[in-house]
Amino acid sequence: MKKRIDFSRLGFTTYQATDMNIVMSLITPEQIQECMQAVGAEDVTYAIGLLEQAALAQLDLDTENMKQFPEAMAAIRKVM
């Protein structure tokens, strides 16, 4: 069984975190396609929105964490 991710640390409600774990459990293109066909367009849009929200929240968290390491931030800026 795949480990569940704690999406509450990204600001998700219990309901949203459960939905995100369902979405993240879809691995193969066939699983994704089957799920998309089983639910309505609104649910697919909702899931895409959750994925986007999770990505942005994780980016914010990573950026905030990197502020603790100014040398690493300087190195990353130099590369970019």
Side-chain angles (χ1 to χ4, degrees):
M1 176 180 244
K2 190 171 182 170
K3 182 181 174 191
R4 295 178 64 85
I5 299 170
D6 180 14
F7 288 101
S8 64
R9 68 182 179 79
L10 298 178
F12 284 81
T13 65
T14 301
Y15 179 79
Q16 291 170 320
T18 299
D19 290 344
M20 275 298 297
N21 275 297
I22 292 168
V23 170
M24 295 300 291
S25 72
L26 304 172
I27 305 299
T28 66
E30 292 80 15
Q31 289 174 325
I32 295 167
Q33 186 65 38
E34 183 179 330
C35 182
M36 288 176 67
Q37 290 173 346
V39 300
E42 288 181 14
D43 289 330
V44 172
T45 301
Y46 167 72
I48 292 169
L50 283 179
L51 289 168
E52 180 180 35
Q53 181 181 347
L56 292 173
Q58 185 63 53
L59 182 60
D60 285 344
L61 183 62
D62 291 346
T63 301
E64 194 60 37
N65 288 339
M66 285 302 295
K67 288 179 183 176
Q68 298 174 18
F69 305 99
E71 298 85 12
M73 284 295 288
I76 291 169
R77 285 191 186 110
K78 194 173 192 177
V79 172
M80 294 173 104

